[in-house]
Amino acid sequence: MQQPNLQHNKQHLTVFNIGKKKKMEKFWLLAFILWQIIPAQAAAVTVGGGVGINIGNAGGGGGGGVWVGGGINNNNPTPSSLVTAYTALQAWKSAITDDPMGILKTWVGPDVCAYKGVFCAGSQGAMGPFVAAIDLNHANLQGTLVKELAFLTDISILHLNSNRFSGTIPDTLKDVSSLQELDLSNNRFSGPFPAVVLYMPNLVYLDLRFNSFSGLIPADLFNKRLDAIFLNNNLFEGELPQNLGNSPASVINLANNKFSGNIPVSFGLASSKLKEILLLNNQLTGCIPEGVGLFSEMQVFDVSRNSLMGHLPDTISCLSDIEVLNLAHNKLSGALPDLVCSLRSLMNLTVAYNFFSGFSQECSKQFAGFDFSLNCIPGRDMQRPQPECSVIPGGGLSCLRIPSAQPLVCGALVGNLVLNVSSTSP
């Protein structure tokens, strides 16, 4: 299992916390949606615990979440949904081999709504109460997931981050059609990408980070209507799917894997609302595509610690909402575009350990606040030795760029870029 790098996490704490307020708003919205599934006649039922918010960063996992319920008091016969839930949870309990916190001591008897970590919703109407969420974050449980979890057909939230679950994800979970949030981060899962998540029609939040999943990631992942995709700190490899930019997600984190090849040329050409993308610490090569500038709402763009080459596209100057721009530890060259350092929202610009040869007057004003060290900028301290700057890596690399004698107009990018990509496609 890959253990979290605490120093690395601390370094990127700002990245993971940007947009936290907006994510909180989404979690409250999900809480409201879950609350609506409790019928009006719930007066006959005591739903304990109310609505809770759980947002965590410990151990690199913990994507947050919302739950409703937590205990139902009634003397009526157990509804059929809770009977099947009892079967599922008891089968799962038998597959858990270590429970140091004693959580499973409460998993006794047919009243599953009294189980610690299990949250119910519903009433004494025709549907009856049902298991709406399971939150076992930071429980340190050891074991595997069982196929019987598919019996929990009404569950909306499954949070299991920071445990010691291993093995693979059962294919039967495709039958859990109500699932909206799946957090399996910081465990010991392995094997190929769990394709079963592609068949969960209502999934909006997927967190698989800090595991040992390996192999390729399927292109269909970026066609799903997900709002957050966290796959960082696994063993995924191969080229990034060409439809990466098609995803409607606001956050995509693919950092600390073994992805190789180019960032797709078409990246950014779809009408994406992407706010944060982290591709750091992979094995990516080639150029930064010009389409990056089309992400008008982008706040975090981190491609550090790869082997990207060539000049930066001028379109980066169109990232008007960018707050963190990290290009460090690559093989990028040329001069920084004039407008990059004057971006109004930019708080953190890091271009260290590249081969940049110059920057604009605006960047010169910001030199004290931004990291330009170990490049090839004449007259600046802490630059590479001259022999290293005599041969620029990828100096002959031809990046796809739009030739234009006119000043860059960000609002007019889309049509020109699509036309240019189409005309150069094989």
Side-chain angles (χ1 to χ4, degrees):
M1 173 185 175
Q2 293 182 334
Q3 293 297 328
N5 185 324
L6 297 181
Q7 183 177 1
H8 182 272
N9 284 350
K10 183 176 180 181
Q11 179 182 1
H12 290 278
L13 187 59
T14 302
V15 172
F16 290 117
N17 285 335
I18 284 180
K20 186 173 182 180
K21 179 179 179 181
K22 295 179 181 178
K23 293 175 187 175
M24 286 280 288
E25 292 172 354
K26 292 178 182 177
F27 293 143
W28 278 114
L29 177 60
L30 182 54
F32 176 77
I33 293 172
L34 282 175
W35 193 256
Q36 298 309 302
I37 65 178
I38 304 176
Q41 61 266 41
V45 181
T46 300
V47 181
V51 179
I53 300 292
N54 176 24
I55 299 179
N57 290 314
V66 184
W67 60 80
V68 179
I72 293 183
N73 299 321
N74 65 79
N75 297 317
N76 295 313
T78 304
S80 59
S81 62
L82 296 187
V83 172
T84 55
Y86 171 77
T87 301
L89 294 175
Q90 289 301 313
W92 191 17
K93 179 181 178 181
S94 67
I96 296 176
T97 57
D98 190 25
D99 175 23
M101 300 174 66
I103 290 174
L104 301 185
K105 291 179 180 179
T106 66
W107 287 30
V108 178
D111 186 7
V112 297
C113 298
Y115 290 9
K116 189 171 183 178
V118 177
F119 300 88
C120 292
S123 72
Q124 295 306 306
M127 185 175 184
F130 56 89
V131 174
I134 294 178
D135 189 324
L136 293 172
N137 288 350
H138 305 280
N140 199 23
L141 297 170
Q142 178 176 307
T144 59
L145 303 187
V146 296
K147 63 181 181 180
E148 288 84 358
L149 289 174
F151 296 161
L152 303 173
T153 54
D154 298 310
I155 193 172
S156 295
I157 295 170
L158 181 59
H159 284 175
L160 303 177
N161 90 67
S162 302
N163 285 282
R164 290 173 288 151
F165 289 112
S166 59
T168 58
I169 315 304
D171 290 339
T172 56
L173 287 185
K174 68 179 184 297
D175 296 326
V176 187
S177 58
S178 297
L179 194 63
Q180 297 182 35
E181 291 195 13
L182 178 62
D183 184 354
L184 304 178
S185 61
N186 201 28
N187 278 282
R188 300 176 180 178
F189 292 111
S190 59
F193 179 89
V196 62
V197 304
L198 303 177
Y199 301 96
M200 298 176 178
N202 292 303
L203 194 66
V204 295
Y205 181 95
L206 176 64
D207 193 344
L208 303 179
R209 51 185 159 169
F210 289 97
N211 280 286
S212 295
F213 291 112
S214 59
L216 306 178
I217 54 175
D220 286 345
L221 175 65
F222 301 106
N223 293 330
K224 283 189 65 65
R225 299 186 64 82
L226 292 166
D227 182 63
I229 301 173
F230 293 97
L231 304 183
N232 54 289
N233 295 81
N234 278 281
L235 302 173
F236 291 118
E237 59 187 353
E239 295 189 0
L240 298 175
Q242 291 298 309
N243 64 336
L244 172 65
N246 290 358
S247 175
S250 61
V251 181
I252 298 177
N253 191 339
L254 306 179
N256 303 313
N257 281 285
K258 298 180 180 180
F259 293 115
S260 58
N262 299 339
I263 300 175
V265 173
S266 59
F267 184 61
L269 298 186
S271 56
S272 175
K273 299 298 182 182
L274 189 62
K275 291 181 172 60
E276 301 179 23
I277 184 160
L278 294 95
L279 302 175
L280 62 146
N281 198 25
N282 280 286
Q283 300 167 13
L284 299 174
T285 56
C287 306
I288 295 177
E290 214 157 23
V292 167
L294 297 180
F295 290 108
S296 58
E297 299 181 19
M298 181 82 75
Q299 297 173 355
V300 177
F301 183 69
D302 191 337
V303 292
S304 60
R305 296 185 181 276
N306 283 285
S307 295
L308 298 171
M309 301 181 187
H311 295 190
L312 289 182
D314 289 343
T315 55
I316 282 187
S317 303
C318 295
L319 299 176
S320 57
D321 288 343
I322 196 74
E323 298 178 16
V324 176
L325 179 59
N326 193 343
L327 310 173
H329 290 271
N330 279 286
K331 300 176 182 179
L332 299 166
S333 58
L336 286 175
D338 290 343
L339 298 178
V340 168
C341 293
S342 60
L343 289 169
R344 63 189 182 191
S345 300
L346 191 61
M347 297 187 300
N348 185 335
L349 172 64
T350 306
V351 297
Y353 289 90
N354 278 287
F355 290 84
F356 288 113
S357 57
F359 48 76
S360 68
Q361 184 176 359
E362 187 64 33
C363 289
S364 181
K365 296 177 184 177
Q366 302 289 349
F367 192 87
F370 297 153
D371 190 354
F372 295 91
S373 60
L374 290 165
N375 278 279
C376 298
I377 303 173
R380 294 292 181 181
D381 296 332
M382 298 182 65
Q383 299 299 297
R384 291 180 181 274
Q386 181 56 39
E388 292 185 16
C389 296
S390 60
V391 179
I392 303 298
L397 183 65
S398 177
C399 296
L400 177 62
R401 299 288 183 254
I402 299 176
S404 175
Q406 301 297 323
L408 178 66
V409 179
C410 295
L413 279 174
V414 179
N416 291 336
L417 282 174
V418 172
L419 179 62
N420 199 47
V421 170
S422 300
S423 64
T424 57
S425 298

